[in-house]
Short mmCIF file of all heavy atoms in Angstrom, two decimals:
data_model
loop_
_atom_site.label_atom_id
_atom_site.label_comp_id
_atom_site.label_asym_id
_atom_site.label_seq_id
_atom_site.Cartn_x
_atom_site.Cartn_y
_atom_site.Cartn_z
N PRO A 227 -22.51 13.80 -6.23
CA PRO A 227 -21.38 14.74 -6.02
C PRO A 227 -20.13 14.32 -6.88
O PRO A 227 -19.13 13.93 -6.32
CB PRO A 227 -21.12 14.60 -4.53
CG PRO A 227 -21.60 13.32 -4.14
CD PRO A 227 -22.71 12.96 -5.05
N ILE A 228 -20.26 14.33 -8.19
CA ILE A 228 -19.25 13.83 -9.06
C ILE A 228 -17.96 14.58 -8.93
O ILE A 228 -16.87 14.01 -9.01
CB ILE A 228 -19.71 13.90 -10.52
CG1 ILE A 228 -21.10 13.25 -10.65
CG2 ILE A 228 -18.70 13.17 -11.45
CD1 ILE A 228 -21.68 13.41 -12.09
N GLY A 229 -18.01 15.92 -8.70
CA GLY A 229 -16.81 16.71 -8.64
C GLY A 229 -15.83 16.33 -7.56
O GLY A 229 -14.67 16.73 -7.58
N VAL A 230 -16.28 15.56 -6.55
CA VAL A 230 -15.43 15.20 -5.47
C VAL A 230 -14.20 14.34 -5.97
O VAL A 230 -13.25 14.21 -5.27
CB VAL A 230 -16.20 14.45 -4.37
CG1 VAL A 230 -16.47 13.00 -4.83
CG2 VAL A 230 -15.51 14.42 -3.01
N VAL A 231 -14.39 13.82 -7.24
CA VAL A 231 -13.30 12.98 -7.74
C VAL A 231 -12.01 13.76 -7.90
O VAL A 231 -10.89 13.25 -7.86
CB VAL A 231 -13.69 12.36 -9.12
CG1 VAL A 231 -13.82 13.47 -10.21
CG2 VAL A 231 -12.75 11.30 -9.55
N SER A 232 -12.12 15.08 -8.03
CA SER A 232 -10.91 15.94 -8.21
C SER A 232 -10.08 16.00 -6.87
O SER A 232 -8.90 16.31 -6.92
CB SER A 232 -11.33 17.36 -8.58
OG SER A 232 -12.11 17.99 -7.60
N LEU A 233 -10.70 15.61 -5.76
CA LEU A 233 -10.03 15.67 -4.44
C LEU A 233 -9.52 14.27 -4.06
O LEU A 233 -8.81 14.11 -3.06
CB LEU A 233 -10.96 16.16 -3.36
CG LEU A 233 -11.54 17.59 -3.52
CD1 LEU A 233 -12.55 17.88 -2.47
CD2 LEU A 233 -10.42 18.60 -3.54
N ALA A 234 -9.87 13.26 -4.85
CA ALA A 234 -9.54 11.90 -4.48
C ALA A 234 -8.07 11.66 -4.44
O ALA A 234 -7.29 12.29 -5.15
CB ALA A 234 -10.22 10.88 -5.46
N GLU A 235 -7.69 10.75 -3.52
CA GLU A 235 -6.25 10.38 -3.32
C GLU A 235 -5.62 9.90 -4.65
O GLU A 235 -4.53 10.26 -4.99
CB GLU A 235 -6.21 9.35 -2.24
CG GLU A 235 -4.75 8.83 -1.93
CD GLU A 235 -4.76 7.74 -0.93
OE1 GLU A 235 -5.56 7.78 0.01
OE2 GLU A 235 -3.92 6.87 -1.06
N LEU A 236 -6.40 9.03 -5.36
CA LEU A 236 -5.86 8.45 -6.59
C LEU A 236 -5.76 9.39 -7.74
O LEU A 236 -5.12 9.19 -8.72
CB LEU A 236 -6.64 7.22 -6.95
CG LEU A 236 -6.52 6.00 -5.99
CD1 LEU A 236 -7.45 4.88 -6.40
CD2 LEU A 236 -5.08 5.57 -5.88
N THR A 237 -6.48 10.50 -7.67
CA THR A 237 -6.37 11.54 -8.71
C THR A 237 -5.07 12.27 -8.56
O THR A 237 -4.33 12.56 -9.54
CB THR A 237 -7.54 12.55 -8.63
OG1 THR A 237 -8.76 11.83 -8.78
CG2 THR A 237 -7.40 13.62 -9.70
N GLY A 238 -4.58 12.57 -7.30
CA GLY A 238 -3.30 13.09 -7.04
C GLY A 238 -3.18 14.58 -7.15
O GLY A 238 -2.04 15.06 -7.06
N PHE A 239 -4.23 15.31 -7.27
CA PHE A 239 -4.09 16.82 -7.36
C PHE A 239 -3.71 17.39 -5.92
O PHE A 239 -2.87 18.25 -5.89
CB PHE A 239 -5.39 17.44 -7.77
CG PHE A 239 -5.75 17.25 -9.27
CD1 PHE A 239 -7.01 17.40 -9.69
CD2 PHE A 239 -4.73 16.87 -10.13
CE1 PHE A 239 -7.34 17.22 -11.02
CE2 PHE A 239 -5.00 16.67 -11.46
CZ PHE A 239 -6.32 16.91 -11.96
N MET A 240 -4.38 16.89 -4.97
CA MET A 240 -4.17 17.41 -3.54
C MET A 240 -2.84 16.78 -3.02
O MET A 240 -2.65 15.59 -3.15
CB MET A 240 -5.31 17.19 -2.64
CG MET A 240 -6.57 18.01 -3.04
SD MET A 240 -6.37 19.77 -2.95
CE MET A 240 -6.13 19.98 -1.13
#
Side-chain angles (χ1 to χ4, degrees):
I228 310 174
V230 77
V231 69
S232 62
L233 301 173
E235 177 184 326
L236 292 176
T237 301
F239 288 161
M240 294 297 292

